[in-house]
Amino acid sequence: MATDVLMPNLGFDTQTSRLVEWLKEPGSVVEKGQAIAVIESDKANIELEAIVSGVLLEHCVDADQEVAVGSVIARIGSAEEYRSMRVAPKTVKIGGSPQAQDVPALGATGSTSRVSPVAQRLARDLQIDVSQITGSGVRGRITRSDVQQAYQSQQTLASPPSDPLADAKGVRALPAVRRAARQRGIDLTAVLAAGYTNPITLATLDAYAVGSQPPTPIRATTRIVSSSPSDEEGVTVVSLSRTRQIIGKRLGESMREAPHFYVTGEFIFDAALARIKTLPGKVKINDLILYLTAQTLMRLPALNATFYEGVLRQYQSVHLAIAVARDDGLITPVLHHAERYSLAGIAEASRTLIERARANRLSLDDLQNGTFTVSNLGMVQQVEHFTAVINPPQVGILAVGALKPRPVVIDGGLFVRHTARLTLSGDHRVVDGMDLAQFMAVFEEELNRFAPIENP
């Protein structure tokens, strides 16, 4: 019995996700846990792993498609099932109109042996006979681009355009633009229908791909393009990536819906720094802060929590989200069960997680179920302290400023000590100022437990 592979829920309040690319083709043997596709989540591309071992029977959607959560995107079965699909061709009816045609179904042999579901729908809409198309996909698979190209060729033969840039439908574009559109799976007629101007350029494709509004014809300076010079001297108009748009949407909602409350504390790290130098491995101050945060949250479940649709959930385990800066925006991979790690263990695990985040090699599990976030800008010495926006549906986030020598009063004397200022943001709907103050007090207790401060 074949197993359906579904588009997973990639996070809080997610309705759809984009299937970026397939890593395994139909007929490939896959093991449970092996990556078979790359999916774009709210903040990163992640690898979708096979839920069972077997043979990948078919792709149910093409790459570069927006797919609703819970939709079937592939099927995994046995080698016998795959062989039966290959040797038992049958026909399916595409469309219900009088023009509907019988075309070979998935699994038939020959150049039209495989027709992707998207290509089937497009062929029906454009009334294209797929039996006359040679597929460009793996093993002759007919893709949406093949159908679009066949349609354009058909229209061109029917009425050769007089304009060298225009096709039979009046779409004007250079060959490089048409090639880029085919590679991205963009229908140029749909671009014009969305309100973009003729001729279509590469910048137009960029704007259309990210869902930007078409330019207003009255004011050219309002055009939204991708890293292109604007009509105003010295100004570049940059379209936001899908990742950046989603980050802005989520954090904007967080600020509007969650009343933020902030508490800042200053902590002396001299004794901790001295002890870290005696430890084996590559333990850094950020690793220590993650370790101390996990230990603190174990004692304060009020902040190790999520709040969504009126339901407050407090967790026994600490699933620590770590803010990682990348060129396309901030990402928060999750270190699950952080309370179980030693300091050396959390240093190694977090370093591996951050490296995979920056290399865009995260798994679905790496981005889910965070209960608290740590954001550290301490590597920039000019950042004394800052406030961070809560990562919904979590109820708290810790912002870490630069560790540097500062004047400190101890027992009436003035001394220079290495200190860092930590600012905790809390969701005032479910936590109070005392909860945040207790976090600071317990954090200092854990710091002193790790390395007691010796007063002068």
Side-chain angles (χ1 to χ4, degrees):
M1 176 69 70
T3 299
D4 291 338
V5 179
L6 307 181
M7 174 61 75
N9 187 336
L10 298 179
F12 163 70
D13 200 30
T14 300
Q15 303 298 323
T16 64
S17 296
R18 188 170 69 93
L19 197 156
V20 178
E21 65 173 315
W22 287 105
L23 302 178
K24 294 292 183 180
E25 294 297 330
S28 301
V29 176
V30 297
E31 299 293 334
K32 182 178 179 180
Q34 186 176 18
I36 61 173
V38 175
I39 296 174
E40 184 180 58
S41 74
D42 290 349
K43 295 184 178 180
N45 290 349
I46 63 172
E47 294 180 343
L48 177 65
E49 299 175 350
I51 55 177
V52 295
S53 298
V55 175
L56 185 60
L57 300 179
E58 61 177 328
H59 298 159
C60 298
V61 297
D62 282 345
D64 198 26
Q65 295 292 309
E66 197 75 19
V67 183
V69 169
S71 300
V72 178
I73 61 175
R75 297 172 64 242
I76 298 176
S78 64
E80 290 74 16
E81 287 177 293
Y82 181 72
R83 282 195 293 268
S84 67
M85 292 176 63
R86 298 281 292 172
V87 301
K90 52 185 178 181
T91 60
V92 294
K93 182 72 70 177
I94 296 181
S97 65
Q99 293 82 14
Q101 304 164 358
D102 288 330
V103 300
L106 299 181
T109 57
S111 64
T112 57
S113 60
R114 300 185 62 80
V115 184
S116 74
V118 176
Q120 290 179 358
R121 290 193 295 271
L122 186 60
R124 175 198 62 201
D125 295 339
L126 300 179
Q127 299 182 19
I128 297 296
D129 183 2
V130 294
S131 64
Q132 303 302 314
I133 299 176
T134 300
S136 62
V138 177
R139 289 186 292 276
R141 180 182 177 89
I142 297 176
T143 66
R144 178 178 60 176
S145 297
D146 296 327
V147 175
Q148 290 173 335
Q149 189 171 8
Y151 176 76
Q152 291 173 359
S153 299
Q154 185 181 86
Q155 295 299 312
T156 300
L157 291 174
S159 178
S162 56
D163 187 336
L165 291 182
D167 59 18
K169 302 193 72 174
V171 178
R172 303 184 68 242
L174 291 169
V177 177
R178 296 185 185 278
R179 182 167 58 252
R182 288 195 298 271
Q183 292 172 348
R184 301 186 191 186
I186 296 177
D187 183 357
L188 294 181
T189 58
V191 177
L192 290 184
Y196 292 87
T197 57
N198 225 359
I200 296 174
T201 66
L202 291 174
T204 307
L205 295 182
D206 290 339
Y208 179 83
V210 300
S212 299
Q213 294 297 317
T216 304
I218 298 176
R219 296 182 61 193
T221 55
T222 62
R223 289 182 299 176
I224 301 179
V225 297
S226 179
S227 298
S228 299
S230 77
D231 292 341
E232 185 178 352
E233 184 178 357
V235 177
T236 299
V237 180
V238 180
S239 61
L240 298 181
S241 66
R242 182 176 186 269
T243 297
R244 176 55 68 183
Q245 292 180 47
I246 293 174
I247 291 173
K249 176 177 179 291
R250 290 284 171 81
L251 296 185
E253 291 174 352
S254 176
M255 288 297 292
R256 288 192 300 271
E257 298 178 5
H260 284 49
F261 186 84
Y262 309 101
V263 169
T264 299
E266 186 171 9
F267 301 88
I268 300 174
F269 281 89
D270 290 84
L273 290 171
R275 184 180 174 191
I276 285 177
K277 292 179 180 179
T278 67
L279 300 177
K282 298 180 180 180
V283 177
K284 299 181 179 180
I285 192 66
N286 184 63
D287 305 320
L288 177 61
I289 290 174
L290 295 176
Y291 173 78
L292 296 175
T293 299
Q295 299 305 310
T296 301
L297 291 172
M298 287 297 292
R299 297 171 58 184
L300 293 172
L303 285 164
N304 188 43
T306 59
F307 184 62
Y308 180 56
E309 294 185 343
V311 179
L312 176 64
R313 294 179 173 86
Q314 297 179 349
Y315 300 87
Q316 294 181 346
S317 294
V318 178
H319 305 309
L320 202 58
I322 305 170
V324 179
R326 303 194 314 178
D327 291 340
D328 58 349
L330 197 68
I331 186 173
T332 53
V334 179
L335 183 62
H336 293 94
H337 299 285
E339 79 284 355
R340 299 179 182 177
Y341 288 91
S342 64
L343 175 56
I346 213 168
E348 181 178 356
S350 63
R351 183 163 49 252
T352 300
L353 185 63
I354 291 170
E355 288 174 354
R356 287 197 285 116
R358 288 175 174 158
N360 217 13
R361 303 297 293 178
L362 294 172
S363 68
L364 175 60
D365 191 53
D366 290 329
L367 290 172
Q368 290 189 327
N369 303 321
T371 58
F372 188 88
T373 299
V374 175
S375 180
N376 190 348
L377 290 179
M379 69 291 297
V380 182
Q381 284 294 296
Q382 290 74 20
V383 179
E384 297 281 342
H385 71 92
F386 67 101
T387 58
V389 181
I390 296 170
N391 185 16
Q394 298 166 23
V395 303
I397 182 171
L398 184 66
V400 183
L403 177 69
K404 60 172 58 177
R406 296 183 176 94
V408 176
V409 176
I410 303 175
D411 293 336
L414 186 62
F415 301 88
V416 176
R417 295 289 185 267
H418 286 82
T419 70
R421 292 166 182 166
L422 279 55
T423 300
L424 179 61
S425 307
D427 184 343
H428 221 333
R429 294 175 299 178
V430 292
V431 295
D432 297 317
M434 185 53 68
D435 295 310
L436 276 62
Q438 288 178 344
F439 179 96
M440 294 298 178
V442 173
F443 186 93
E444 185 166 55
E445 290 178 9
E446 293 294 332
L447 175 59
N448 292 336
R449 180 181 301 177
F450 172 75
I453 296 177
E454 296 181 3
N455 292 329

